[in-house]
Amino acid sequence: MTTAIYTHDDCLKHETPPGHPERVARLEAVLEILEAPRFAALEWHDCPKAARSELLRVHPEAHVAAVEQAVAAARGGTVAIDGDTHVMAGSLDAALRAAGGCVAAVEAVITGKAQNAFIAARPPGHHAEKTTAMGFCLFGNVSIAAKNALDEHGLSRVAIMDFDVHHGNGTQDLLWDETRCLFISTHQSPLYPGTGGVHETGADNNVMNVPLPPGAGSEAFRRAMEAEVLPALDDFAPELVLISAGFDAHRADPLAQMELTEKDFAWATHRLCDIADAHAGGRVVSTLEGGYDLEALAASVAAHVEVLMERGAK
Ligand SMILES: [Zn+2]
């Protein structure tokens, strides 16, 4: 079996204002490292655009229309949806590719065309709420993929693990009432967006938040994974494991202070593959969220994808 990579040139055409951390160079750095000879066994695919019906599984029509209108209003310039989140002419296609890549990767893994997959796309998605684009995110990519697995492919239990250093408030909002999903987020607290307390547990204990203090480091992260995250995933027995793979918990990242290294991301990926092996036939789909130091981002993605390849080849 193989590891599939989903990406698209359109994701390089979503430009942000000068100095913005979520920039084109992030994806360029990720693609450059994944094109190295040691990754030659990866199977590359273009992200299709998400269909409107797929977006509407988690967002109301008004949100999709609002994003479209903001992009249309940008014309040759940029429109700020909020202080962090900007769109320009290329943003809609990029966002549709990022969401559509997640949907296609889930389909490839469920139908056995790949063992696991990584979506190298942007803009990220885990901060996008039902009616609010925010935190660099326009559509809830991973939630859209989860809904597709449930509604189109007949799965009944999908887990989403979000180890981005920021709380996945969007995924939590989109899947709050979706008891066929278990959403777990480890994140630094306090930090943007300010949500993700332990008392936010979803409609029926289908959301688990594991806030960690600034400076937590490898040991605290791994302890939290082993004591809380992995047992909850094991109990849930998911038929598919989705990962919101943000790498901004890296110690070199300028936006946070979780102080992890790429070794921690490799370790976490192994443990999530263990859960997938035990319950989900090894099916893992991981999508890029944050990660803003280019060198650390590339090294972390490389460590993450190497584990996916190693585990997928078994
Ligand atoms: Zn983040």
Side-chain angles (χ1 to χ4, degrees):
M1 290 288 269
T2 56
T3 296
I5 299 288
Y6 284 79
T7 189
H8 199 281
D9 284 349
D10 282 353
C11 296
L12 298 167
K13 293 172 187 160
H14 163 61
E15 293 170 21
T16 48
H20 195 288
E22 204 296 285
R23 55 208 192 274
V24 172
R26 296 179 63 238
L27 183 55
E28 290 173 337
V30 166
L31 295 176
E32 188 184 339
I33 202 151
L34 293 180
E35 281 157 8
R38 66 186 152 125
F39 294 108
L42 291 171
E43 282 199 1
W44 290 75
H45 301 274
D46 276 341
C47 298
K49 287 187 192 174
R52 200 176 191 83
S53 59
E54 290 164 346
L55 305 180
L56 295 178
R57 287 210 169 97
V58 298
H59 296 289
E61 169 69 30
H63 175 72
V64 180
V67 171
E68 287 172 341
Q69 282 159 16
V71 170
R75 300 173 188 274
T78 302
V79 165
I81 293 178
D82 65 18
D84 302 312
T85 313
H86 303 79
V87 296
M88 42 73 69
S91 301
L92 183 62
D93 284 351
L96 293 175
R97 299 284 182 191
C102 291
V103 170
V106 161
E107 178 161 331
V109 166
I110 288 178
T111 58
K113 295 191 185 93
Q115 180 61 55
N116 55 40
F118 180 69
I119 298 95
R122 55 182 286 283
H126 74 147
H127 292 307
E129 298 187 345
K130 287 192 184 86
T131 56
T132 310
M134 60 182 277
F136 320 156
C137 302
L138 302 179
F139 301 128
N141 305 329
V142 81
S143 302
I144 291 165
K147 285 285 199 184
N148 194 261
L150 296 165
D151 295 346
E152 283 294 307
H153 297 286
L155 269 56
S156 48
R157 290 183 311 282
V158 175
I160 301 114
M161 170 61 201
D162 183 332
F163 57 64
D164 188 281
V165 80
H166 302 95
H167 177 232
N169 63 295
T171 310
Q172 172 172 299
D173 180 53
L174 301 180
L175 300 179
W176 186 263
D177 296 318
E178 180 47 90
T179 56
R180 296 172 296 175
C181 288
L182 174 63
F183 172 61
I184 305 184
S185 175
T186 54
H187 46 270
Q188 180 178 316
S189 177
L191 190 66
Y192 180 90
T195 48
V198 294
H199 301 299
E200 297 165 26
T201 55
D204 188 21
N205 288 321
N206 51 305
V207 170
M208 175 188 259
N209 284 302
V210 184
L212 294 165
S218 299
E219 202 182 316
F221 172 73
R222 293 188 190 205
R223 205 184 311 129
M225 285 285 290
E226 285 180 329
E228 298 179 65
V229 175
L230 297 169
L233 287 170
D234 206 30
D235 281 350
F236 184 66
E239 299 163 308
L240 173 68
V241 174
L242 303 181
I243 305 176
S244 261
F247 299 100
D248 40 10
H250 195 284
R251 65 184 174 195
D253 198 276
L255 297 196
Q257 300 80 37
M258 182 95 86
E259 308 294 334
L260 302 188
T261 72
E262 50 269 36
K263 289 198 176 89
D264 297 308
F265 296 124
W267 177 85
T269 309
H270 268 302
R271 300 291 77 77
L272 295 171
C273 287
D274 291 343
I275 296 290
D277 281 352
H279 302 289
R283 299 186 292 202
V284 176
V285 172
S286 173
T287 187
L288 180 65
E289 300 283 1
Y292 303 99
D293 178 86
L294 297 185
E295 212 171 301
L297 172 63
S300 300
V301 167
H304 179 62
V305 172
E306 273 184 333
V307 173
L308 292 179
M309 290 174 77
E310 180 191 330
R311 300 297 294 258
K314 276 181 189 167

